[in-house]
Amino acid sequence: MVYEDCTYHGIQDGPETVRDDGEEWQPARILVETPEFGPTERQTLTVLRELPEPEGGGFGWGYNGTGTSNAAAVILADALGLGDPDECGISFLSDEDKTLGALREDFCDDVLSQCCDQWRLRRGVVLRWARAWYLQQGINALPAALYVLPPLYGKG
């Protein structure tokens, strides 16, 4: 399995958002972008795709609730290469796989509930967090994406 890097970029109108452009409230979105370091490099980044909202509701973060669970499900399903969140059982709207459901909810608690209106997470961060979660749970059967983690940058 070849590692493909990307950055997940969450954007939502919330308490930190200053809307002085006359625009109406917009639903939260999760973009998948080319990874870039720093604000100067991000001025020219490429959006690879947008993660679709589940049929049962939208995304949210900065709290722990339905929107956060939806966001966690699509990010983890994408990062782990699990396919459709409903079909793989990571979505709480599906016939939930108990392990994937627990992974999703702990990702909500540990990561997404702490995020501000806009955030960025590299895929490698998500994979390392998930690998540590499986290790802490004592689960040896890992999703394929977790068997070989991406390289650490800055290591020669």
Side-chain angles (χ1 to χ4, degrees):
M1 174 177 276
V2 175
Y3 175 71
E4 293 181 32
D5 201 5
C6 65
T7 298
Y8 298 100
H9 180 190
I11 306 165
Q12 75 178 357
D13 285 349
E16 296 95 14
T17 305
V18 177
R19 300 278 327 201
D20 59 359
D21 57 6
E23 293 289 322
E24 296 289 322
W25 174 88
Q26 298 291 318
R29 303 168 61 199
I30 301 174
L31 306 176
V32 181
E33 303 170 341
T34 56
E36 298 294 347
F37 296 97
T40 304
E41 289 81 4
R42 284 196 294 265
Q43 290 177 1
T44 59
L45 61 78
T46 302
V47 175
L48 303 171
R49 63 188 180 283
E50 184 170 344
L51 297 180
E53 289 183 346
E55 290 182 27
F59 299 133
W61 41 83
Y63 67 98
N64 198 354
T66 303
T68 313
S69 291
N70 288 338
V74 299
I75 293 166
L76 288 166
D78 188 79
L80 297 173
L82 300 176
D84 181 85
D86 290 329
E87 291 177 16
C88 74
I90 199 167
S91 169
F92 70 91
L93 300 172
S94 65
D95 290 331
E96 183 178 272
D97 175 284
K98 298 234 184 291
T99 299
L100 291 176
L103 174 74
R104 178 196 68 232
E105 290 307 311
D106 285 343
F107 189 74
C108 289
D109 280 343
D110 286 351
V111 180
L112 295 179
S113 68
Q114 305 304 309
C115 291
C116 294
D117 291 344
Q118 284 205 41
W119 50 265
R120 283 185 167 86
L121 285 173
R122 300 248 339 228
R123 181 173 179 238
V125 170
V126 175
L127 294 176
R128 285 184 185 88
W129 181 92
R131 176 91 179 252
W133 184 89
Y134 275 90
L135 178 65
Q136 188 175 22
Q137 303 302 313
I139 300 171
N140 294 324
L142 305 174
L146 297 180
Y147 280 102
V148 178
L149 293 177
L152 293 170
Y153 296 97
K155 295 288 182 183

